[in-house]
């Protein structure tokens, strides 16, 4: 990372009307379309540079290349970025299990930060997996790792599910 460059970040995002059409898709179809680029990412993903790279039944994988705009005053990635990544992976893993028209919301998120992410950490990957699936509630776990597979953080999320009538 060249720290002598201008520090400017411009964020753009797609018209979220594309999400309305996606309501006809199952959660897995929707997230696979997002991973392919057929559906735009959520604006929060654009804001922090988070990319959905894979989705399967009960599992999602996201990646992010940390930059200094993610840093806190200790010059490490802010805990809020960890939380956003972990919540995205866990909650979207739940989304992959839902039928068309169903919605979900994270009810709680418990995170454990194990290692600082610094400028030289390189690309990081977060994987979310469903560990319990009920009709109206699901639990998923997420693991955040560096490119060598070193564990950086973990999380457990509980999600409320609203199914179509």
């Amino acid at each position: 990372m060249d720290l002598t460059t201008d520090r400017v970040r411009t964020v753009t995002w797609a018209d979220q009307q594309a999400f309305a059409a996606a309501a006809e898709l199952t959660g897995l179809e929707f997230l696979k379309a997002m991973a392919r680029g057929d559906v735009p990412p959520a604006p929060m993903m654009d804001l922090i540079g988070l990319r959905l790279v894979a989705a399967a039944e009960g599992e999602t994988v996201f990646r992010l290349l940390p930059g200094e705009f993610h840093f806190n005053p200790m010059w490490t990635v802010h805990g809020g970025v960890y939380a956003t990544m972990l919540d995205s992976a866990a909650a979207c893993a739940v989304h992959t299990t839902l039928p068309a028209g169903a919605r979900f919301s994270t009810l709680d998120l418990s995170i454990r930060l194990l290692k600082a992410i610094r400028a030289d950490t390189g690309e990081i990957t977060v994987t979310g997996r469903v560990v319990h699936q009920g009709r109206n509630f699901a639990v998923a776990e997420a693991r955040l790792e560096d490119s060598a597979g070193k564990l950086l953080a973990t999380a457990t999320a509980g999600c409320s599910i609203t199914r179509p009538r």
Side-chain angles (χ1 to χ4, degrees):
M1 178 186 315
D2 181 2
L3 299 180
T4 63
T5 61
D6 289 338
R7 288 170 174 84
V8 175
R9 180 159 174 83
T10 302
V11 179
T12 59
W13 57 91
D15 181 357
Q16 297 303 297
Q17 291 302 318
F19 286 163
E24 304 301 317
L25 303 175
T26 68
L28 181 57
E29 291 168 339
F30 176 78
L31 289 169
K32 282 187 172 187
M34 187 181 289
R36 285 192 310 268
D38 297 339
V39 172
M44 175 55 96
M45 292 171 62
D46 285 330
L47 181 65
I48 69 168
L50 185 61
R51 299 178 333 276
L52 174 64
V53 296
E57 182 78 22
E59 182 175 308
T60 57
V61 179
F62 291 81
R63 292 209 174 101
L64 179 130
L65 183 60
E68 69 177 61
F69 61 94
H70 294 118
F71 291 171
N72 60 29
M74 276 70 65
W75 211 245
T76 62
V77 169
H78 188 281
V81 176
Y82 285 80
T84 298
M85 292 183 66
L86 292 159
D87 179 48
S88 296
C92 285
V94 171
H95 194 183
T96 67
T97 68
L98 301 181
R103 300 194 176 272
F104 70 95
S105 180
T106 302
L107 293 175
D108 60 63
L109 180 67
S110 175
I111 65 173
R112 184 165 306 269
L113 308 179
L114 304 171
K115 188 172 188 307
I117 301 171
R118 302 182 186 285
D120 61 354
T121 299
E123 188 172 61
I124 53 180
T125 301
V126 62
T127 303
R129 289 188 181 89
V130 174
V131 296
H132 168 76
Q133 179 74 48
R135 176 159 175 76
N136 299 314
F137 185 77
V139 176
E141 295 175 342
R143 293 175 54 89
L144 180 59
E145 300 174 340
D146 67 14
S147 61
K150 176 115 177 137
L151 188 61
L152 305 170
T154 63
T156 303
C159 294
S160 173
I161 299 168
T162 304
R163 297 182 182 270
R165 295 178 190 237

